[in-house]
Amino acid sequence: MSMHNPPHPGTFISGIYLEPNNVSGRELAQALGVSASTLSRVLNGSSRVSPEMALRLSVALGRSPESWLAMQDAHDLWVARQHVDLKTVGRLQLAAA
């Protein structure tokens, strides 16, 4: 079952980790070992959580790297479903493997 409008990981990070704990993006960026601008792009949703960022987030915030990537994939898939027209896509008939 797909989630309705799953949050971008950046929104999740801000709402669950940063704001309630009064931690700034700069503080998290420093803990992650990335530039503040790199993290800012993730937090505002203009950049994806990459595998490298997922590894860093896993150490700094917890959760597995796979969970960070799954959250990003769920968000990306939901966005794609809003914009991709599949009516013109046909099914290829393949021999059973």
Side-chain angles (χ1 to χ4, degrees):
M1 178 178 198
S2 65
M3 184 184 289
H4 175 71
N5 195 8
H8 185 279
T11 302
F12 182 81
I13 292 166
S14 293
I16 299 298
Y17 295 100
L18 300 185
E19 293 165 9
N21 294 292
N22 200 28
V23 173
S24 72
R26 286 194 181 277
E27 290 174 279
L28 178 57
Q30 185 174 9
L32 293 170
V34 300
S35 71
S37 62
T38 295
L39 180 62
S40 178
R41 287 189 297 275
V42 171
L43 294 178
N44 71 31
S46 63
S47 287
R48 301 183 80 250
V49 169
S50 66
E52 295 84 2
M53 182 63 79
L55 289 168
R56 292 171 186 271
L57 289 168
S58 178
V59 172
L61 298 177
R63 303 174 60 97
S64 70
E66 293 84 1
S67 72
W68 289 111
L69 293 174
M71 187 181 298
Q72 182 67 61
D73 285 344
H75 172 76
D76 291 348
L77 186 56
W78 186 85
V79 169
R81 282 187 170 131
Q82 308 312 304
H83 302 288
V84 176
D85 180 9
L86 298 175
K87 292 178 186 117
T88 61
V89 178
R91 184 163 188 102
L92 188 60
Q93 299 297 319
L94 302 171

